[in-house]
Amino acid sequence: MSVSGPRLVVPIDLKKKAWEQETPLHNRWHPDIPSVAEVTVGEVFRVEMVDFSGGAITNNLTAHDVKHLHPLTVTIENRSPFEHINLSMAPPTTRLVSSIDLKKKPWEQNPPLHNRWHPNIPHVATVNTAHLFRVEMVDWTGGAIRGHDSSLDVKSLDLSTVHYLSGPIRIVDDDGIPAKPGDLLAVEICNLGPLPGDEWGFTATFDRENGGGFLTDHFPCATKAIWYFEGIYAHSPQIPGVRFPGLTHPGIIGTAPSMELLNIWNERERDIEQNGVKSFKLCEVLHTRPLANLPTTKGCLLGKIEKGSSEWERIAKEAARTIPGRENGGNCDIKNLSRGAKVYLPVFVEGANLSTGDMHFSQGDGEVSFCGAIEMSGFLELKCEIIRGGMKEYLTPMGPTPLHVNPIFEIGPVEPRFSEWLVFEGISVDESGRQHYLDASVAYKRAVLNAIDYISKFGYSKEQVYLLLSCIPCEGRISGIVDAPNAVATLAIPTAIFDRDIRPKNNKVPIGPRLMRKPDVFKCTYDGNLPITKNPSDTS
């Protein structure tokens, strides 16, 4: 079962005065003031508070309420005596434009969700650039993967249904003029987090014949670990001895494509599906069927468009899957798009039609296990700005049309702070000893495999480490891409996430019961017959 989140022990009703609260407040220290709740050691609990004045100081643009506040009896009045003065009010609080009911399926939500990109998916809300707004999201599977002790839900997941996105949201300026094709949409992430009452997430690997992943030739089985959140920290009973702060972010944020851009996507992805190299050779970074995820009516959800209508049938056959990142942003899985970050998205249709989803509590660079972040439901609080003509002004097309552009973004100022890292290097030589020419994917695969084998020496299963490297805030780099024939990639792991020192020492790795890391991640059997890569030098 999933967790219910922190227990609320002191609630606040903002419509009531301080002395009217259900749980009494106090403004003195004394040993005989009775307790209002009891909590146990280790329990995560929530306490709500009024501001120090108990609401006596308001958001009116006047200082009269401050002047008349009684300094010794703070929490006296809930309204200013000068509130009748007709002054401009402060900006309104965050507007909720897309809400989620965790008891409902994705297709039952109001407003409805969608899992495709298409210019004709109707917007569900209109937002002015002056306003802060809130978007809530289901996890990317829409609740299909549960918080129980089995990975069968991962093994059998219908991947035609993902990702479930909230939106589209139409963006207009102060004059009500919508964003236009050729503009840039600057989207600032002001706040974000898990949905209250749903503070848990999961990391998984897919079965090799149903999704696979970056190391699917080494790890063909479906696996899963459950993570629980305590404020900014995450921990998992399936991967003990690890606790770390998350860098929470949306895996998907993007604008709707124009019909012209959608046709470009479908044509080029159809070409690679029909003519690309289909290889199951060992020791390469394997293709997992299909090479591209082409439009399909199976599992399709198109927001307000009614399923079964002629319009739905037409759009479902054209609409792009959300699996890869593209010119519109989309599923880029960039872990640094966190609190305070700003992303500059190209606008291809009137209103921009912004959509977002696939919330991650934490993720490592590369999200190597594919279902590899800590996936969760969540919310974003956003503010937008329209940069008129910004595509031509700031983005140079890298392709045959003005539509071949990509977003840019600013990293926010709030990140986990680590001072010590253990860095693993990989080169573009695969496990069979075969040389690849400046292949950064092979080099990164080697770096990840080197890290997995190393950390497993400290009592972890390799499946535990694989999931761990996919969701901790590790840093991946293409460190060298010019010195033929070897590309060099690195993977930096913050050492502080472990409860022991994992650095090499002038003695052997400790052994014995103290190193046992039980239980393991939840695993399914692999029932396929595709070849599995084994490290010929592995002695474990």
Side-chain angles (χ1 to χ4, degrees):
M1 297 293 291
S2 62
V3 296
S4 58
R7 180 165 68 95
L8 179 60
V9 298
V10 181
I12 289 295
D13 185 342
L14 292 174
K15 296 179 181 178
K16 293 182 178 180
K17 293 182 171 57
W19 52 89
E20 298 172 336
Q21 297 296 325
E22 179 182 352
T23 301
L25 308 184
H26 62 102
N27 60 5
R28 299 291 190 273
W29 295 113
H30 194 279
D32 294 333
I33 295 175
S35 64
V36 298
E38 186 173 286
V39 298
T40 59
V41 174
E43 179 184 4
V44 179
F45 59 97
R46 178 185 175 102
V47 177
E48 296 179 348
M49 292 159 278
V50 296
D51 75 83
F52 92 106
S53 74
I57 298 178
T58 73
N59 61 357
N60 277 351
L61 302 184
T62 171
H64 291 296
D65 47 5
V66 179
K67 181 177 180 180
H68 292 278
L69 180 70
H70 197 301
L72 299 181
T73 58
V74 173
T75 67
I76 291 296
E77 288 292 338
N78 205 27
R79 302 176 69 85
S80 165
F82 296 92
E83 202 166 320
H84 66 278
I85 298 176
N86 186 17
L87 296 172
S88 299
M89 295 296 292
T93 55
T94 306
R95 174 189 166 200
L96 178 62
V97 300
S98 182
S99 60
I100 289 297
D101 184 341
L102 291 170
K103 297 178 182 178
K104 294 183 177 181
K105 303 291 186 184
W107 50 89
E108 298 171 335
Q109 299 293 332
N110 183 25
L113 308 184
H114 62 103
N115 59 10
R116 300 291 192 270
W117 295 113
H118 195 283
N120 296 140
I121 297 175
H123 64 272
V124 298
T126 298
V127 171
N128 189 291
T129 51
H131 294 160
L132 189 68
F133 61 99
R134 178 183 174 105
V135 180
E136 296 181 347
M137 291 156 278
V138 296
D139 80 84
W140 75 296
T141 73
I145 296 181
R146 307 299 299 165
H148 52 47
D149 56 353
S150 169
S151 57
L152 286 171
D153 49 1
V154 178
K155 184 175 182 178
S156 60
L157 183 67
D158 181 359
L159 291 173
S160 72
T161 64
V162 294
H163 305 81
Y164 290 108
L165 305 182
S166 295
I169 299 165
R170 177 180 172 88
I171 309 297
V172 302
D173 63 18
D174 285 342
D175 298 320
I177 301 173
K180 302 286 187 181
D183 293 342
L184 274 184
L185 185 69
V187 183
E188 182 179 357
I189 299 174
C190 301
N191 196 14
L192 75 177
L195 288 182
D198 204 42
E199 289 90 350
W200 72 282
F202 61 88
T203 306
T205 58
F206 292 121
D207 187 275
R208 184 168 176 191
E209 297 186 33
N210 184 37
F214 189 52
L215 302 182
T216 192
D217 57 324
H218 287 261
F219 299 93
C221 301
T223 66
K224 182 174 72 176
I226 304 299
W227 297 88
Y228 300 106
F229 310 148
E230 295 178 348
I232 65 171
Y233 291 93
H235 67 93
S236 172
Q238 288 78 55
I239 310 179
V242 172
R243 184 174 184 262
F244 58 90
L247 185 54
T248 304
H249 61 281
I252 297 179
I253 187 166
T255 52
S258 63
M259 202 64 216
E260 181 183 358
L261 182 57
L262 180 63
N263 290 335
I264 290 172
W265 292 353
N266 287 338
E267 181 179 350
R268 73 190 184 198
E269 291 173 21
R270 191 175 297 110
D271 177 70
I272 195 171
E273 169 62 20
Q274 294 173 350
N275 303 311
V277 176
K278 295 179 171 65
S279 172
F280 279 120
K281 294 180 181 178
L282 293 176
C283 304
E284 295 179 345
V285 177
L286 302 183
H287 295 303
T288 54
R289 302 293 196 269
L291 298 184
N293 294 275
L294 302 179
T296 176
T297 59
K298 181 184 178 185
C300 185
L301 193 62
L302 297 176
K304 292 181 178 180
I305 302 176
E306 185 178 352
K307 186 173 183 179
S309 65
S310 58
E311 182 185 22
W312 187 93
E313 292 289 342
R314 175 183 62 82
I315 292 176
K317 292 176 181 177
E318 300 171 341
R321 298 294 309 282
T322 59
I323 304 299
R326 300 184 180 93
E327 285 83 352
N328 69 326
N331 191 28
C332 295
D333 290 318
I334 300 170
K335 77 176 192 300
N336 303 95
L337 286 179
S338 191
R339 186 177 287 106
K342 184 180 285 188
V343 57
Y344 298 87
L345 295 166
V347 176
F348 302 103
V349 300
E350 184 175 287
N353 280 7
L354 176 72
S355 295
T356 185
D358 188 26
M359 281 295 292
H360 298 165
F361 185 84
S362 179
Q363 180 205 295
D365 283 336
E367 198 186 9
V368 289
S369 78
F370 186 21
C371 188
I374 299 181
E375 311 286 350
M376 68 174 191
S377 66
F379 73 91
L380 292 175
E381 292 181 356
L382 306 172
K383 189 172 184 180
C384 292
E385 176 187 359
I386 299 172
I387 302 175
R388 298 296 182 184
M391 279 178 62
K392 183 177 180 180
E393 189 72 23
Y394 294 107
L395 304 182
T396 301
M398 295 294 172
T401 79
L403 304 179
H404 286 82
V405 293
N406 296 101
I408 55 180
F409 73 95
E410 301 176 47
I411 296 175
V414 182
E415 292 187 331
R417 183 172 59 195
F418 298 107
S419 60
E420 296 182 350
W421 304 75
L422 198 60
V423 182
F424 296 88
E425 181 179 318
I427 60 175
S428 51
V429 176
D430 67 29
E431 301 92 291
S432 70
R434 177 185 170 193
Q435 177 76 62
H436 297 258
Y437 182 77
L438 295 180
D439 191 323
S441 294
V442 173
Y444 197 59
K445 183 185 181 188
R446 277 287 304 275
V448 175
L449 287 170
N450 288 339
I452 289 173
D453 273 28
Y454 178 90
I455 297 174
S456 68
K457 298 177 185 295
F458 292 84
Y460 292 101
S461 73
K462 291 183 179 180
E463 288 84 359
Q464 285 175 315
V465 185
Y466 185 25
L467 292 185
L468 190 63
L469 297 184
S470 199
C471 68
I472 62 172
C474 54
E475 300 281 347
R477 296 286 187 273
I478 298 176
S479 299
I481 201 67
V482 296
D483 297 318
N486 277 336
V488 178
T490 53
L491 179 65
I493 300 171
T495 58
I497 72 170
F498 298 97
D499 66 356
R500 69 189 57 204
D501 189 350
I502 64 165
R503 294 173 297 178
K505 302 287 190 304
N506 191 23
N507 51 24
K508 292 184 177 181
V509 176
I511 59 174
R514 188 171 64 88
L515 275 183
M516 296 301 292
R517 297 298 196 182
K518 301 294 182 183
D520 202 349
V521 298
F522 305 124
K523 301 178 187 178
C524 287
T525 59
Y526 172 61
D527 305 317
N529 56 10
L530 297 174
I532 308 303
T533 301
K534 300 291 185 182
N535 180 3
S537 298
D538 187 10
T539 57
S540 62

